[in-house]
Amino acid sequence: MGLALIVHGGAGDISAREATPHRAGAIRAAQIGWEILAHGGAARDAVEAAVRVMEDDPTFDAGIGSYLDRNGNVTLDASFMDGATLNAGAVAGVKRVQNVITLARRVMESEHTFLIAEGAEQFAQEHGIALIDNRELCTPEQIAIWQECLQSPPVRETAKYVPPQAGGTVGCVAVDRAGDIAAGTSTGGMKFKRPGRVGDSPLIGAGVYADNTLGGASSTGWGEAITRVVMAKFAVDALASDRDPREAAHATIEYLAKRVHGTGGIILADRTGRIGFCFNTPRMAWAHITEQTGEIVGDC
Ligand code: GLY
């Protein structure tokens, strides 16, 4: 048994210029999460804190700085899972909350598992989470990208669609001293998405999964493909028989590619505190630390 924390900051065709802030942001998120774990904190708190760091960083396609949809709005999706109880919470289509990972956690701690749009925002307000104007989530960079898309919409018809450059879904998996495992995922979804479109990130089993008896996982990449193979649950199940998480991550991405021609990435931590990750996109931002290595490493 050992402490472990791994984050991702999105898998896709991230440009060389964008890789540097993605790497730095992922490492910063891992540092914040690790401080909580190393001081005896709960995996749930570490995951929430790490994901919030990336939601607040305009580099990533989560929280502030997310892609705008065709109507020019940021709409956010997130999920959270507690491997001790199998409690899970998710939100989708949220326009007025910056840190939807916190909202997903509050949903997990309520009698519900999934709330959407205005209902999720009403729940947020009732639970002391500030509502903001959607314009506060729209950065000038993303408004410029949206304006370019209005002129020349992204082509999505290829079977091997690669998520667009710059930005990325974010996620974290952590194992704490009690052996509890938590996982969370947060996203603004695809660039110039159809209003109402929801990908894998808020879907329990596709975008996130955690079970103390095996491990936890968070997905990133092309949401429609990831959803079809229920990728996070597939990855956690692949940890059976104490399989090395690196092998399990590899097998998961291989299955995504072979079965549905999907592109994306997965991060995993198992019940003993070993970690693994894999992606088949040009880049994925990632960072991790375990009690055994004692140092944060990351890249994009
Ligand atoms: N993986 C994030 C999305 O497709 O929305």
Side-chain angles (χ1 to χ4, degrees):
M1 191 80 73
L3 304 179
L5 184 130
I6 181 164
V7 305
H8 69 74
D13 192 10
I14 298 167
S15 70
R17 185 177 60 80
E18 288 294 322
T20 304
H22 274 74
R23 176 181 177 276
I27 289 174
R28 197 160 47 246
Q31 274 164 345
I32 297 293
W34 184 251
E35 274 171 30
I36 291 171
L37 281 187
H39 286 91
R44 293 182 299 281
D45 295 334
V47 166
E48 182 182 353
V51 172
R52 282 180 69 105
V53 168
M54 293 185 282
E55 289 177 333
D56 292 344
D57 182 339
T59 301
F60 299 101
D61 181 30
I64 285 186
S66 291
Y67 290 126
L68 278 57
D69 69 10
R70 289 184 201 177
N71 288 349
N73 295 307
V74 164
T75 58
L76 302 175
D77 309 329
S79 56
F80 207 107
M81 190 151 179
D82 171 23
T85 56
L86 299 190
N87 286 338
V91 294
V94 174
K95 290 185 185 156
R96 300 186 61 207
V97 174
Q98 180 167 328
N99 296 112
V100 280
I101 194 68
T102 295
L103 181 54
R105 181 176 175 179
R106 293 281 186 286
V107 171
M108 178 182 84
E109 291 165 350
S110 77
E111 70 273 35
H112 305 294
T113 54
F114 202 167
L115 296 174
I116 62 163
E118 289 85 1
E121 290 166 7
Q122 190 177 329
F123 177 93
Q125 203 166 29
E126 287 166 11
H127 288 77
I129 296 174
L131 296 188
I132 59 172
D133 192 288
N134 193 253
R135 292 298 103 191
E136 292 180 44
L137 298 171
C138 303
T139 60
E141 291 76 13
Q142 291 305 328
I143 291 170
I145 289 173
W146 175 73
Q147 284 165 341
E148 280 168 26
C149 289
L150 284 177
Q151 302 303 320
S152 158
V155 178
R156 305 204 189 283
E157 275 71 31
T158 92
K160 288 198 173 183
Y161 170 70
V162 175
Q165 69 170 43
T169 296
V170 305
C172 178
V173 183
V175 186
D176 66 23
R177 183 63 67 209
D180 287 337
I181 301 166
T185 305
S186 179
T187 192
M190 267 185 195
K191 177 161 78 173
F192 207 60
K193 67 188 177 187
R194 174 184 292 280
R197 179 266 182 190
V198 176
D200 61 300
S201 301
L203 303 180
I204 305 303
V208 80
Y209 203 75
D211 181 344
N212 278 10
T213 66
L214 289 166
S218 170
S219 309
T220 171
W222 177 16
E224 281 73 2
I226 292 168
T227 297
R228 290 182 184 114
V229 298
V230 199
M231 189 162 88
K233 177 73 162 76
F234 182 99
V236 169
D237 286 346
L239 293 168
S241 308
D242 283 332
R243 191 178 190 186
D244 188 317
R246 292 171 299 186
E247 271 180 43
H250 186 82
T252 300
I253 296 303
E254 195 172 58
Y255 183 68
L256 174 74
K258 283 201 175 143
R259 193 68 185 87
V260 293
H261 304 297
T263 51
I266 190 86
I267 56 170
L268 269 171
D270 80 355
R271 65 189 180 88
T272 67
R274 297 179 300 173
I275 51 94
F277 67 92
C278 187
F279 55 97
N280 65 353
T281 49
R283 294 180 196 270
M284 182 175 85
W286 57 268
H288 60 70
I289 176 168
T290 67
E291 204 160 26
Q292 281 187 333
T293 65
E295 68 168 334
I296 295 175
V297 287
D299 207 349
C300 178

